[in-house]
Amino acid sequence: AHVRYPARFQLVAAMNPCRCGIGGGGKGACGKAPRCQRDYQNRISGPMFDRIDLTVETPPVTAADMALPPPAEGTAEASARVLAARAMQEDRLRAAGIDPDTARDQAVNARASGETLDRFATPDDAGRALLMRAGAAGGLTARGWTRTLRLARTIADLDGYDGVLRRHIAEALVYRRTTVGPQGDFERQPVRPEAPAY
């Protein structure tokens, strides 16, 4: 039998930092870290991780975290920012004279064609240099390069910027499991980075 499924979907996945589920530093940390974390997370192949646009490490919530005031931006504010970014994406394509049906289909940066991406997601010189350094250091595949541009374009839209700046590229690279080493060189990390400097 042949079964056909729609190809557009959003994958959201979660995993523990290591086999025991503790991982990380601090009190009660896994005694085998960081090897335990590296071995456990490397069970997911590199090509699989390369297809994941965003990886975010979420440390355990502590009692001190619970005592903090609520964040300034809540769900309603974040939702409004997302809607504004989506409207910005659609307006940009319409203003460029792209067919309305195509504009509606490609308004979300994740679905933008290569030509549309080249036209609207090309970073400034500093951003391009940063992207080139990441690629030259082996931190980006061809797929990773394109996905980084898509993500950087979205980050710029959420910031309300028409252009893609170096800081948007840098933030997108943080989410791509690529970090900056102590000498300013890019390194491919077996364990997701926490917050590399850029």
Side-chain angles (χ1 to χ4, degrees), residues 8 17 47 65 70 83 93 111 117 134 141 153 167:
R8 286 183 182 168
D65 294 327
L83 289 174
L93 296 183
R111 293 201 298 260
L117 205 61
T141 61
R153 176 67 268 176
R167 72 168 183 257

Side-chain angles (χ1 to χ4, degrees), residues 26-176:
K27 187 177 180 182
C30 174
K32 297 179 182 177
R35 183 178 176 183
C36 178
Q37 290 173 277
R38 185 177 59 246
D39 291 348
Y40 185 74
Q41 293 185 23
N42 279 345
R43 292 170 63 189
I44 299 177
S45 71
M48 177 68 178
F49 258 125
D50 200 33
R51 287 166 169 82
I52 298 175
D53 293 330
L54 295 162
T55 57
V56 180
E57 188 168 320
T58 54
V61 178
T62 65
D65 294 327
M66 298 298 288
L68 292 173
E73 184 180 59
T75 304
E77 291 82 6
S79 177
R81 229 166 28 103
V82 169
L83 289 174
R86 289 230 173 168
M88 187 177 179
Q89 292 166 15
E90 210 165 324
D91 291 344
R92 181 169 53 236
L93 296 183
R94 283 204 192 101
I98 293 174
D99 171 72
D101 290 335
T102 304
R104 197 175 307 107
D105 184 58
Q106 294 191 20
V108 179
N109 291 323
R111 293 201 298 260
S113 68
E115 182 183 343
T116 302
L117 205 61
D118 287 343
R119 189 169 176 184
F120 299 113
T122 300
D124 63 2
D125 290 343
R128 184 171 178 77
L130 184 66
L131 199 55
M132 291 288 290
R133 279 178 50 214
L140 283 178
T141 61
R143 179 188 298 112
W145 176 286
T146 303
R147 287 176 179 257
T148 299
L149 284 178
R150 289 184 193 280
L151 185 53
R153 176 67 268 176
T154 300
I155 292 167
D157 289 339
L158 289 168
D159 274 354
Y161 278 82
D162 287 330
V164 177
L165 307 180
R166 183 186 187 279
R167 72 168 183 257
H168 302 134
I169 294 290
E171 186 175 345
L173 286 170
V174 170
Y175 295 128
R176 292 291 309 169

